[in-house]
Amino acid sequence: MAIFPVINLENINGDGRAKILEQVEDACQNWGFFELVNHGISHEFLDTVEKMTKDHYKKCMEQRFKEAVASKGLEAAQDEVKDMDWESTFFLRHLPESNIAEMSELDEEYKEIMKEFAKKIENLSEELLDLLCENLGLEKGYLKKVFHGSKGPTFGTKVSNYPPCPKPDLIKGLRAHTDAGGIILLFQDDKVSGLQLLKDGNWIDVPPMRHAIVVNLGDQLEVITNGRYKSVMHRVMTQTSGGGRMSLASFYNPGSDAVIFPAPSLIEKEGEGEEKKEVYPKFVFEDYMKLYLGVKFEAKEPRFEAMKANANLGPMATA
């Protein structure tokens, strides 16, 4: 079985750049997921984020989750639960406008740490997008520009905890899906596993690694690369014991009014020698999200087909 890609960014600006770019390209084409080490965010800072996130769950969310589980009768489930996830979450919006100041349950120290975390992850997301541009032969900043729309990208962090579950064979932590957006950076628990991706028909564990950042590609990058890179189905499995699993998933997505379409230069490259037209649709990101929210846990291909059928943006510019 292929080994899950772990990429060391330590020498990205040195003589190791070509090799690292090659590893990123292989991961994007063949996995849709990879794990980063030596990514520039200090271990001490990540330890602080992890401790404060787990403390916040214990203090503010654990009891509420137990009450919600009891009220829905989930612990007594006899059949597979297909319409609910075993997770406790809240969402922090960073861009275009932050909502952290409005999160009254978060103490001030945690708010400040999460603002700093968001900035570091935003910077790393943009660095990665430029590495993808380099591999794709697109001008530096192309992906960031496409994501920008009129107000800049949308960017936020889903903070999740997955407590031990008495029926892990019946209840998923998070049901299988692809991510709708752009590039997703995940800081996950290094002691409790659970995240899996679908590769070649098999579910493969994304290994927990201390201080690593997991990266996965969303549907928008599949469209922009005209399928050279693909978003991948993934899920979170529950555990019966071993403590809860923590996950901070940060989504660097296009702005709501950003127009998404296959990069013309990639279609032209693919078309050499034979006529090749774009496989993927052109659409406004907000329209895609409206569709996605209703069918998140279904296959992505019908979403792309629906956006093609509803296309009303006229001919695609090639320059």
Side-chain angles (χ1 to χ4, degrees), residues 9-182:
L9 283 185
E10 187 173 24
N11 203 15
I12 187 62
N13 293 315
D15 56 11
R17 187 177 186 86
K19 179 67 175 172
I20 294 169
L21 283 167
E22 192 179 299
Q23 291 171 337
V24 170
E25 178 68 9
D26 179 71
C28 288
Q29 284 208 40
N30 297 310
W31 289 81
F33 265 79
F34 53 96
E35 207 150 0
L36 294 177
V37 296
N38 291 318
H39 40 64
I41 303 175
S42 81
H43 292 180
E44 294 77 14
F45 179 75
L46 290 175
D47 287 342
T48 301
V49 170
E50 180 176 353
K51 180 180 186 307
M52 295 184 80
T53 298
K54 289 183 172 179
D55 286 350
H56 173 75
Y57 173 75
K58 284 279 184 194
K59 178 181 164 189
C60 299
M61 301 183 74
E62 185 173 42
Q63 186 58 36
R64 194 184 309 157
F65 180 78
K66 287 177 180 175
E67 290 167 4
V69 164
S71 72
K72 293 168 185 169
L74 288 179
E75 288 178 326
Q78 298 300 312
D79 300 304
E80 185 179 357
V81 177
K82 295 181 177 177
D83 60 350
M84 217 173 294
D85 301 307
W86 186 271
E87 62 174 359
S88 171
T89 69
F90 63 94
F91 191 81
L92 299 175
R93 189 177 65 249
H94 310 309
L95 294 173
E97 293 179 355
S98 173
N99 70 345
I100 292 180
E102 302 155 24
M103 303 291 287
S104 57
E105 278 195 346
L106 308 187
D107 63 43
E108 290 307 313
E109 187 182 7
Y110 189 32
K111 285 180 182 178
E112 290 307 311
I113 284 290
M114 291 310 291
K115 284 181 194 171
E116 191 178 345
F117 177 77
K119 196 64 203 169
K120 291 177 188 295
I121 293 290
E122 179 189 350
N123 290 341
L124 182 56
S125 299
E126 292 179 351
E127 286 172 28
L128 287 169
L129 288 177
D130 276 342
L131 292 185
L132 301 193
C133 285
E134 194 169 337
N135 276 334
L136 292 163
L138 300 170
E139 64 181 283
K140 185 176 181 180
Y142 178 89
L143 291 170
K144 185 179 174 184
K145 184 178 176 183
V146 169
F147 281 21
H148 192 276
S150 65
K151 305 183 190 104
T154 49
F155 177 51
T157 298
K158 179 187 176 188
V159 181
S160 305
N161 282 274
Y162 300 93
C165 175
K167 301 281 180 75
D169 52 332
L170 298 179
I171 309 174
K172 300 282 189 301
L174 182 58
R175 289 161 284 164
H177 64 287
T178 66
D179 288 329

